[in-house]
Structures are given as structure tokens and as C-alpha cells.
Amino acid sequence: MRFIEAAALAALTVPIAARDNFDFRVNQPRRLVAVQRPSPNRVTGNTIPLGRANTKTNSLSAGYLQAIRSGQHVDGVYSRLQNGTAQLLSVNAGSVFLAPLQAGGEMFEVVIDTGSSDTWLVNNQFTCVDPTDSEVIDESQCAFGPTYSLSSTAEQVPNRNFNISYADGERLNGQIITEDLTFAGITVENQTMGLVTVVGWYGDGTSSGLVGLAYVSLTNQYGGSNPSADVGGLNIPYNPLLTSMFVENLTAPIFSIALDRDVAQTAQAAGGVLAVGGIPNIPHGSSWASANISVVGIDAATGQPEYQFYAIRVDGWAVSKNWNADFDVKMTGNTRKTPLLHAPTYNVIVDSGTTLIYAPTDVAAALAAAFDPPSTISSTYGLYTVACNATVPRFGVAVSSKIFYINPLDLIIDTGLGFCVLGVQSNNGGYTIIGDVFMRNVLTVFDVGAAQVRFSARQCQLTNGAITIGGKADYF
Ligand SMILES: *[C@@H]1O[C@H](CO)[C@@H](O)[C@H](O)[C@H]1NC(C)=O
Ligand SMILES: *[C@@H]1O[C@H](CO)[C@@H](O)[C@H](O)[C@H]1NC(C)=O
Ligand SMILES: *[C@@H]1O[C@H](CO)[C@@H](O)[C@H](O)[C@H]1NC(C)=O
Ligand SMILES: *[C@@H]1O[C@H](CO)[C@@H](O)[C@H](O)[C@H]1NC(C)=O
Ligand SMILES: *[C@@H]1O[C@H](CO)[C@@H](O)[C@H](O)[C@H]1NC(C)=O
Ligand SMILES: *[C@@H]1O[C@H](CO)[C@@H](O)[C@H](O)[C@H]1NC(C)=O
């Protein structure tokens, strides 16, 4: 079954040596085919609170998407620019979402990754290696939480190995096992997963592994027991955890994500909630906007697997200094209304693993100019920087004739380095991505069966009294 998700934290299995010089081939987006009618937005108790943790590294996807974003676009091939991105990486740094996973009756905290598909846990005996040079280093350097030991309900799958490399150099080798896994209150028996024994990983001190929420084609099971023989080999796909739940009809084929705003920017703030089979019981607007999902296929030009990101059509972008602006959301041309910018914008990637919004260049420029004082591109960082106390304009993203406004709290990001950056940056001609800055303002439903994504506005609480909200703030 095809599986729709918020593309994030991409697993990129290009050979490690090539990682500083990616070439990406971008394949034409294609429409997904719905296999069934939309599942209802029913409140479910199958929810998991998402924690947040800081890692030593940038979130996995950022390095990957970053490379796509900053690339020179030549005949569909994107190349990584070496400069101009380092500062952004540190701005994006460190936030991963964590959730509890029960394996063989024991609880573990795991990283939630909507851009890869394997579930894995670290074995009680493992070798920690430095991701940069493969030197064996002390176990503690991998910074895992409690380790997993094969339980009585687990079994090793013979003649298979687990092998995955991430865009930032992190990589894992190990065995393939089956185990009874419980996630969001739903138990899958004999779920295929990785048990990792050789690990180059930037841990967070809490998590013991990862649950990948993406679809079958991104799984990383290989034949044989020698990982070195996997290079260039084809993976042997298996149903990942969420797919098993849907295929075994343990739940409706949807999941939803509501990300919380980390106003205090504390290290261990709440991350939000993920629900399987429905939506979490949280306040949200009464109406929904739905958009069909298309697949943007991206692969390393020389590599085998194709990484697929899920993209939607955005009607246009609402930008105005006037908080009472009446936007022409249906683009009727009514001159008394404010037109949407860059309407429509196709193939906008919905990605919980990207912190910011990367908008078309003209949209980012118009938004920057509407701040008071205006935001400008810093020659040092190559990013829109802004006075931390600037007055914020009205900004929204229109989907399916509805505008989802972005809370001003999300639009000025304090880097902690003595300056602030805009939450919306230029895509520099690359793919447009609506990341956490957007997703914090909506409840997002990924309807896997119906191949569509739905948004409803969240009730937001303003805790920062310094920012005044005016106008039609119907989502508060
Ligand atoms: C980045 O590289 C390009 C092309 O090599 C160069 O023109 C530009 O000045 C560089 N930018 C920075 C900020 O170093
Ligand atoms: C899971 O595997 C065990 C053997 O390891 C088997 O006895 C059991 O029937 C399997 N359960 C399911 C639901 O396939
Ligand atoms: C598999 O693991 C080996 C050893 O770590 C590595 O050299 C190789 O690149 C990996 N292959 C894949 C496809 O991840
Ligand atoms: C899946 O489960 C639902 C709810 O339990 C049930 O109504 C439906 O008939 C099941 N579908 C199949 C194909 O088993
Ligand atoms: C979305 O997909 C459905 C089902 O494939 C189709 O009927 C509908 O016209 C599509 N909507 C848009 C806006 O493309
Ligand atoms: C904003 O901050 C700047 C520099 O920190 C200060 O000079 C200015 O007075 C502040 N403006 C307002 C409106 O508070």
C-alpha cells in the first residue's frame, strides 16, 4: 500500500563518501491514486505525545532537503552548494520528536521520523563508531537511552541484514528481527524491524531507536549477512509498522500530527501529538481544507533508491501589512480584495522535519518587506534577518480556498546568537517547503487511503504578550 506522510528526516542511502557532494535527480511529481474514500476525522484515543530532544546534529532531513533547496537547478539536477548554509543548519539544529514504543513488553523512547520507514532499536551490545571517520569510539558517545535485548516474542530473521545511512553521515548496521510492537496503543505482532549493532549516531541521551512513518519503498532490509555487500544492492521491501497496522486493518488508514509551539525554546519542551487512525482531541477550527497529494521523487543521481516527498498545491500566499486585509482567496480578480501572491504554487512539500517555510522568492521578498522595520537578506548568512522586536505583517498560506494564517510567534525566530531570522525564507528557486513554522498552526491529517492531506486551523494560545494580534484572527 502506498503511504502518505509528512516527508521528513530523509534516509539517504548514498555511499557515505559521496555525502558532501550530492547530485540530485528530481523526477516529475505524479499524482497518487486513492485506494479508498477519505476516512473520517474521528477523534481517537490512539495518540502519542511527542517529546522534543536536542541532538548534537542538525535534524536528519535538513542536510538533505537543504542540499536540494540550495542547489543549482540544471536540467532537473540539483547540486549541493557548499557555502551559505552553515548558519542555517545551526538555526535549524537539534529538534527531533520523540515518542514511546513498546517492544516485547518493554518501553523505549524513540525518534519519530516521517521521512524514513524502518523501525529500529539499539542492541544491548553494540559498537559505536564516529560517523565522520568510522573510528570505534566509546559507547557513551552514541548517547542512547536504554538498550534493547531480544525478548521471548522476538526472532531473528535469517540471511538478512539491516543497513541504513542518513544524509548527515549517520549510519546503522545490524540484524533484521520480528517483534511485537505497540505504538499509539495499537499492537502489531511479529513486526519486521532493525536491531542495530554497529552504530554511527548522534544520540540525544534519551532515545533508543527510531520509528519511521513512511512507506514500504523506503525500508532498508538487505539479503545476506554482510552489510558491505549491500552497496548498490536492492533492498528487500517489507511492510513498516504503520503500513502493517493499515494492512492488517488494525486502524483506519490515516494519521495526524499537531506540533506545539516551543515559545520558551526550552530543551525538553512538549513537541505536540501524533494520532493513528484519527485525530487527537485538541481544539481546532470547524472547517477542513483538503488537497490531493502528489509524489516528488528525488534520488541521488548515482544512487539506487528514490526518496519520495509528498507535495500539495498551494492556492497562493497571503501577505499584508494590514491585519484587516480581505484576501481574494478564490482569485476572482475583485479589485477591492488583496490578491494572493504566487498563485497557484505547485508541488509544495509538507514536511514536519523542516523547521522553516521555504517560499517562492517573490513571496519571501514581499513578506520581508512588510515587516516594520523591513527584513533584509544578511550578506553574512544569506538569510532574511529581522529586528527581534519588528512589527509582524499578516501572513497566511491558502489551501483549497482557505487561508491558514501563521502566528507572529512563528515568524520571528531568535537564533540565540544575538539576531533573529524570518520563519519564512526564500526557496532560491528550489522546492517550496512548508515546515514546522506552518505545521504548528494547523492540525494535519495524512489520509493514506484517500491520498490526500487535510488541514484545520489550531486554537493558538498567545503567551508572548509583546506581540499584538489584530484583525480576523479566527484561528485563535
Ligand atoms: C557561494 O558560492 C558562490 C559560487 O561559488 C559565490 O558566488 C558566492 O559568493 C558564495 N557565497 C558566499 C556567501 O560565500
Ligand atoms: C509470530 O511469530 C511466532 C513465532 O515466532 C508465531 O508463533 C506466531 O504465530 C506469529 N504470530 C502471528 C500473528 O503471525
Ligand atoms: C551498508 O553498510 C556498509 C558498512 O557500514 C556500508 O559500507 C554501505 O554503504 C551500506 N550500504 C547501504 C546501502 O546503506
Ligand atoms: C476493517 O475494520 C473495520 C472496523 O473494525 C471494519 O468495519 C471493516 O469491515 C474491516 N475491513 C476489512 C477489510 O476487514
Ligand atoms: C483530487 O483527487 C480526486 C480523486 O482522485 C479528484 O476527484 C479531484 O478532482 C482532485 N482535486 C483536485 C483539486 O485536483
Ligand atoms: C527594538 O530594538 C531596538 C534595538 O534593540 C531598539 O533600538 C528599538 O528601540 C526597539 N524598538 C521598539 C519599538 O521597541
Side-chain angles (χ1 to χ4, degrees):
M1 175 190 285
R2 264 288 135 95
F3 187 149
I4 295 84
E5 36 78 58
L9 307 187
L12 185 64
T13 53
V14 293
I16 298 295
R19 75 176 192 274
D20 289 333
N21 192 17
F22 293 138
D23 273 338
F24 292 108
R25 184 171 52 235
V26 178
N27 301 317
Q28 277 312 302
R30 59 179 187 277
R31 275 269 311 280
L32 273 186
V33 180
V35 294
Q36 64 179 66
R37 293 160 56 83
S39 300
N41 295 320
R42 201 165 26 217
V43 170
T44 174
N46 295 116
T47 59
I48 11 180
L50 299 176
R52 232 181 245 273
N54 286 344
T55 61
K56 278 186 275 182
T57 179
N58 181 42
S59 78
L60 300 180
S61 72
Y64 177 55
L65 283 179
Q66 191 86 1
I68 300 162
R69 231 168 8 236
S70 59
Q72 301 282 17
H73 185 177
V74 185
D75 291 338
V77 175
Y78 286 70
S79 303
R80 183 179 170 97
L81 268 188
Q82 293 297 320
N83 64 14
T85 61
Q87 199 62 48
L88 186 57
L89 291 177
S90 81
V91 171
N92 277 347
S95 220
V96 292
F97 296 105
L98 301 182
L101 170 77
Q102 189 176 315
E106 276 205 68
M107 295 299 294
F108 298 92
E109 288 288 316
V110 291
V111 173
I112 296 298
D113 178 0
T114 50
S116 70
S117 302
D118 303 290
T119 292
W120 59 265
L121 288 167
V122 63
N123 190 39
N124 63 345
Q125 289 188 321
F126 68 96
T127 306
C128 179
V129 299
D130 183 335
T132 61
D133 59 12
S134 297
E135 287 294 310
V136 174
I137 52 178
D138 192 78
E139 267 186 18
S140 62
Q141 304 264 348
C142 278
F144 281 109
T147 57
Y148 166 89
S149 306
L150 271 189
S151 78
S152 59
T153 47
E155 238 175 66
Q156 189 185 339
V157 180
N159 201 31
R160 293 279 183 270
N161 76 89
F162 177 62
N163 190 350
I164 184 170
S165 307
Y166 296 90
D168 62 357
E170 291 179 297
R171 81 208 74 157
L172 313 163
N173 289 145
Q175 305 161 4
I176 293 283
I177 63 169
T178 57
E179 174 62 290
D180 296 350
L181 299 181
T182 304
F183 188 69
I186 301 168
T187 300
V188 176
E189 285 182 30
N190 298 346
Q191 171 62 43
T192 303
M193 61 174 277
L195 175 61
V196 308
T197 50
V198 181
V199 189
W201 186 249
Y202 301 111
D204 49 49
T206 306
S207 60
S208 309
L210 180 146
V211 168
L213 301 180
Y215 40 86
V216 180
S217 63
L218 296 189
T219 54
N220 286 279
Q221 170 178 242
Y222 292 86
S225 52
N226 175 11
S228 300
D230 299 343
V231 182
L234 287 177
N235 62 333
I236 302 168
Y238 66 88
N239 281 345
L241 181 58
L242 273 198
T243 307
S244 295
M245 290 181 186
F246 301 151
V247 167
E248 293 173 22
N249 198 23
L250 303 175
T251 177
I254 68 174
F255 71 96
S256 56
I257 294 178
L259 298 181
D260 283 347
R261 184 168 294 109
D262 182 12
V263 175
Q265 306 212 317
T266 47
Q268 290 282 340
V273 60
L274 180 136
V276 178
I279 60 173
N281 189 12
I282 59 168
H284 63 87
S286 54
S287 64
W288 291 86
S290 65
N292 291 337
I293 295 188
S294 47
V295 183
V296 176
I298 299 172
D299 58 36
T302 52
Q304 290 275 358
E306 176 180 281
Y307 295 90
Q308 298 166 340
F309 294 93
Y310 288 95
I312 60 168
R313 189 192 99 137
V314 159
D315 291 351
W317 309 75
V319 177
S320 180
K321 282 186 173 186
N322 174 10
W323 272 73
N324 293 306
D326 188 6
F327 291 100
D328 184 9
V329 69
K330 292 194 162 43
M331 297 300 278
T332 58
N334 182 338
T335 52
R336 281 178 314 218
K337 295 191 173 187
T338 308
L340 298 177
L341 300 181
H342 211 102
T345 312
Y346 290 101
N347 306 321
V348 175
I349 294 173
V350 182
D351 182 18
S352 66
T354 295
T355 306
L356 306 182
I357 291 175
Y358 294 88
T361 303
D362 56 321
V363 174
L367 178 66
F371 278 75
D372 185 17
S375 158
T376 54
I377 295 181
S378 150
S379 55
T380 314
Y381 305 114
L383 290 170
Y384 281 105
T385 53
V386 64
C388 298
N389 61 2
T391 303
V392 178
R394 197 80 163 120
F395 178 65
V397 182
V399 177
S400 189
S401 302
K402 294 191 178 62
I403 300 178
F404 295 94
Y405 292 104
I406 308 301
N407 189 315
L409 290 172
D410 298 319
L411 290 176
I412 297 182
I413 294 177
D414 195 333
T415 60
L417 302 169
F419 64 97
C420 289
V421 296
L422 279 199
V424 180
Q425 298 287 337
S426 168
N427 67 9
N428 291 322
Y431 270 96
T432 300
I433 302 168
I434 47 178
D436 296 350
V437 161
F438 173 77
M439 289 186 73
R440 281 198 289 264
N441 293 278
V442 294
L443 171 55
T444 306
V445 174
F446 298 92
D447 191 320
V448 176
Q452 65 173 219
V453 62
R454 297 189 287 274
F455 300 113
S456 183
R458 298 266 316 265
Q459 303 270 345
C460 303
Q461 282 187 347
L462 283 185
T463 51
N464 184 344
I467 293 174
T468 313
I469 307 294
K472 296 177 188 158
D474 47 10
Y475 63 109
F476 291 115

